[in-house]
Amino acid sequence: MKIKVLSDSTCDLSKDLLEKYDIDVIPLTVVKDGTPYSDGITITPEDIFNHVANGGDLCTTTALNIGEYADMFSKYSAEYDGVIHINIGSAFSSCYQNACIAAESFPNVRVIDSQNLST
């Protein structure tokens, strides 16, 4: 059986762990000073830490919408027997709820609430 593990970018796992376990990461949008950035692509955790350390406001994230999750699940569910997607905790974001709604259309996709903000 071929299983794929996915996570959103808040997992903050090292590149080594992502490669070792073949985990694909879906970037969330980080908003810094009103400007959106793609987490891990156009902004890094270090950028965020430096921004806040230098007196900047805390950054926020925006959740993927149901359609974005459906597009992602469609791609992976066609390639794998099972897809496990681990989200940022449901207490912190609507990502989990949106992913669950999207996953209803894919019998081989399971969504896990990490109940965490990172790692």
Side-chain angles (χ1 to χ4, degrees):
M1 184 172 239
K2 201 169 149 186
I3 305 291
K4 183 64 179 173
V5 177
L6 307 172
S7 181
D8 61 43
S9 56
T10 63
C11 72
D12 293 325
L13 293 173
S14 70
K15 186 175 182 172
D16 290 340
L17 284 175
L18 294 172
E19 289 175 3
K20 179 178 180 179
Y21 295 106
D22 191 29
I23 300 170
D24 284 1
V25 174
I26 312 309
L28 296 185
T29 298
V30 174
V31 180
K32 181 181 89 171
D33 291 335
T35 302
Y37 298 89
S38 186
D39 191 19
I41 298 172
T42 58
I43 193 168
T44 65
E46 184 177 325
D47 296 330
I48 296 167
F49 299 147
N50 288 337
H51 171 72
V52 174
N54 290 318
D57 290 333
L58 291 177
C59 299
T60 59
T61 60
T62 61
L64 294 174
N65 65 46
I66 295 165
E68 290 169 316
Y69 278 113
D71 289 345
M72 176 183 63
F73 294 156
S74 177
K75 172 189 170 191
Y76 287 101
S77 69
E79 295 178 37
Y80 294 90
D81 299 313
V83 177
I84 300 169
H85 179 67
I86 304 169
N87 274 106
I88 182 175
S90 61
F92 305 106
S93 173
S94 61
C95 285
Y96 175 73
Q97 176 185 5
N98 292 350
C100 285
I101 293 168
E104 290 174 359
S105 300
F106 303 92
N108 63 338
V109 174
R110 299 292 178 265
V111 180
I112 307 295
D113 182 352
S114 72
Q115 299 182 4
N116 278 300
L117 193 55
S118 179
T119 313

